[in-house]
Amino acid sequence: MIAIIGLLIGVLAGLFLEPTVPLALQPYLPIAVVAALDAVFGGVRAHFDGIFDDKVFVISFFSNVLIAALIVYLGDQLGVGGQLSTGVVVVLGIRIFSNVAAIRRHVFHA
Amino acid sequence: MTNQAGGGRPPPPPPSQSYAGLLSELMTNTLDADYEVVASRRSAATGASPQGESGGDPRSGWSNRAGIVAAVTAFGVLVGVSAVKTAQDQPQATAERAQLIEQIEAGQARLDDLHGDLSALQADIGRRQQEQAGEASAASRRTDDLQHLAMSAGTAAVTGPGMVLNLDNARHAVPGAGGLILDSDVQALVNGLWVAGAEAIAIDGHRLTALTSIRFAGQAITVDYRSLTPPYVVEAIGNPDTLPSRLLETQGGQLWLGLRANYGITFETQTESTITLAGDAYNNLLWARPVGSR
């Protein structure tokens, strides 16, 4: 419950405060969102699996975002930023789909 | 040495993931392994029975709750900012596109304008060329008019068929006896020639114009103030078939027939197919001006 409230507060803050994203960080924003999405769905699945842990969730969330951004940054420096971000999105997307499938099985028992 | 030392122990089994393909591993191990590791460690610490996610966990407190809230809030901020950025970028792209379309349309309108200008200018060029052609023909027409007028006035040289008259005093003529040609005789002859249809007349090469005088000064006849001596040659351009006969029907012609018959004055006429008469060079009008000009 408190997590949902935090999520709402965060979304509203992002929407209405409109914090200015530095130009150098703007390419990594979509990747960071996808990585955060993966961590969040992983946490939800762990919750349904009964093995959720606060510390693990927090650490996995921030490390996911950071590493995803780092990989894309590295790709940018190497000149393959587009391909690397595609790869990151594919891997994270597969994980998200699998986690959502597990959640679905828990919720609907199907 | 180390081989012997390590040889006693069996090598640890490789992790099961290394046998699976990359894709199948991706598909199967979707959850962070940390959750299981922590859960198994916690169950080992608290006892055999695994607990709920936060039931009796001593580490579950406000600090960890705050961590979750911070992470979720950060996630929300990320999502919100992304949404805002996308929403901001889209109108910009749309605006740029609209601006480009506007520029294209403006350029096309300008192109159309230029095409219109081009056709208008081409039509103008054609019209001006026609005007110029008309002016050229008008100029040549004026030149022709001027030529005609100059021929009529006697200032331009003319050529054409006509007749030649040879006049001379009677032999052994003495003043007062009537055998001398008088200025009035010549005047009568010239008038007769004009009446007979002569178009240009010259006496001894002096072209007769509207200002030419034929007078008597001393013993000589002067034409245009220049004295002439007999015999006189009068050349007239006109229809050679009718000019001599019509001349003889005029008063001047009759006079000269009488002079020839009564006084022996020479009066011979003959037709020529080509006579060339020079123009009168002394035709400068000093005072007369065309009406309407200054």
Side-chain angles (χ1 to χ4, degrees):
Chain A
M1 190 60 188
I2 193 163
I4 293 173
I5 290 173
L7 178 69
L8 276 178
I9 288 173
V11 169
L12 291 179
L15 281 179
F16 290 104
L17 295 185
E18 292 189 16
T20 52
V21 182
L23 204 66
L25 291 183
Q26 278 184 7
Y28 311 117
L29 195 58
I31 291 295
V33 169
V34 174
L37 212 58
D38 172 60
V40 167
F41 279 117
V44 173
R45 185 192 168 183
H47 170 77
F48 282 115
D49 283 350
I51 53 174
F52 183 80
D53 186 84
D54 310 331
K55 205 173 167 185
V56 172
F57 171 72
V58 172
I59 290 173
S60 78
F61 177 87
F62 286 109
S63 70
N64 256 13
V65 171
L66 211 63
I67 288 170
L70 211 63
I71 288 175
V72 176
Y73 170 77
L74 195 67
D76 274 342
Q77 300 305 308
L78 294 175
V80 289
Q83 292 90 319
L84 262 187
S85 39
T86 304
V88 168
V89 167
V90 166
V91 171
L92 292 180
I94 289 172
R95 282 171 57 119
I96 289 170
F97 267 101
S98 303
N99 285 336
V100 170
I103 293 167
R104 192 189 60 212
R105 278 192 292 273
H106 275 292
V107 171
F108 299 109
H109 304 289
Chain B
M1 321 297 174
T2 48
N3 270 349
Q4 272 186 345
R9 220 179 276 173
S16 59
Q17 289 97 329
S18 66
Y19 291 121
L22 178 63
L23 272 179
S24 51
E25 188 206 335
L26 271 179
M27 300 295 284
T28 50
N29 293 333
T30 56
L31 196 60
D32 277 339
D34 293 341
Y35 286 117
E36 295 174 15
V37 171
V38 172
S40 62
R41 193 184 299 156
R42 189 192 308 153
S43 62
T46 56
S49 66
Q51 297 265 337
E53 66 264 25
S54 62
D57 196 344
R59 286 173 300 152
S60 168
W62 280 108
S63 62
N64 284 335
R65 284 262 182 237
I68 291 178
V69 168
V72 170
T73 306
F75 175 64
V77 169
L78 279 177
V79 171
V81 169
S82 300
V84 168
K85 280 302 295 178
T86 309
Q88 277 176 347
D89 286 351
Q90 188 156 3
Q92 196 177 348
T94 310
E96 279 175 3
R97 189 162 168 274
Q99 204 174 355
L100 281 177
I101 289 173
E102 199 176 320
Q103 283 178 0
I104 289 170
E105 282 173 353
Q108 278 174 343
R110 189 154 162 274
L111 192 65
D112 289 345
D113 282 354
L114 289 177
H115 275 309
D117 284 356
L118 189 64
S119 58
L121 286 174
Q122 276 172 343
D124 198 33
I125 287 171
R127 194 163 45 75
R128 279 169 194 271
Q129 278 174 341
Q130 279 186 347
E131 273 180 15
Q132 206 169 22
E135 280 175 8
S137 69
S140 70
R141 205 163 50 237
R142 274 198 292 276
T143 307
D144 290 348
D145 288 351
L146 198 62
Q147 193 84 23
H148 278 293
L149 288 173
M151 288 192 299
S152 298
T155 58
V158 291
T159 184
M163 63 183 295
V164 177
L165 303 95
N166 292 303
L167 317 173
D168 200 355
N169 292 333
R171 278 178 203 161
H172 315 299
V174 292
L180 293 177
I181 298 173
L182 303 177
D183 56 350
S184 60
D185 301 334
V186 177
Q187 286 168 5
L189 180 66
V190 168
N191 286 338
L193 281 172
W194 286 132
V195 170
E199 295 171 355
I201 300 171
I203 300 175
D204 277 4
H206 293 283
R207 182 80 174 275
L208 297 187
T209 70
L211 297 176
T212 306
S213 61
I214 300 172
R215 305 186 61 181
F216 203 65
Q219 293 295 313
I221 291 176
T222 67
V223 172
D224 213 6
Y225 305 112
R226 276 165 291 184
S227 299
L228 305 178
T229 54
Y232 309 107
V233 177
V234 177
E235 295 161 297
I237 290 179
N239 188 346
D241 296 333
T242 61
L243 196 55
S245 55
R246 286 183 65 187
L247 172 65
L248 295 183
E249 294 169 2
T250 64
Q251 284 187 356
Q254 292 295 320
L255 172 69
W256 275 85
L257 285 179
L259 287 175
R260 185 170 68 181
N262 296 328
Y263 301 103
I265 287 176
T266 306
F267 177 53
E268 298 169 358
T269 67
Q270 65 190 69
T271 59
E272 292 281 343
S273 61
T274 301
I275 300 172
T276 298
L277 303 181
D280 182 14
Y282 299 90
N283 195 29
N284 291 326
L285 299 178
L286 297 179
W287 298 100
R289 292 284 180 273
V291 175
S293 72
R294 300 188 138 230

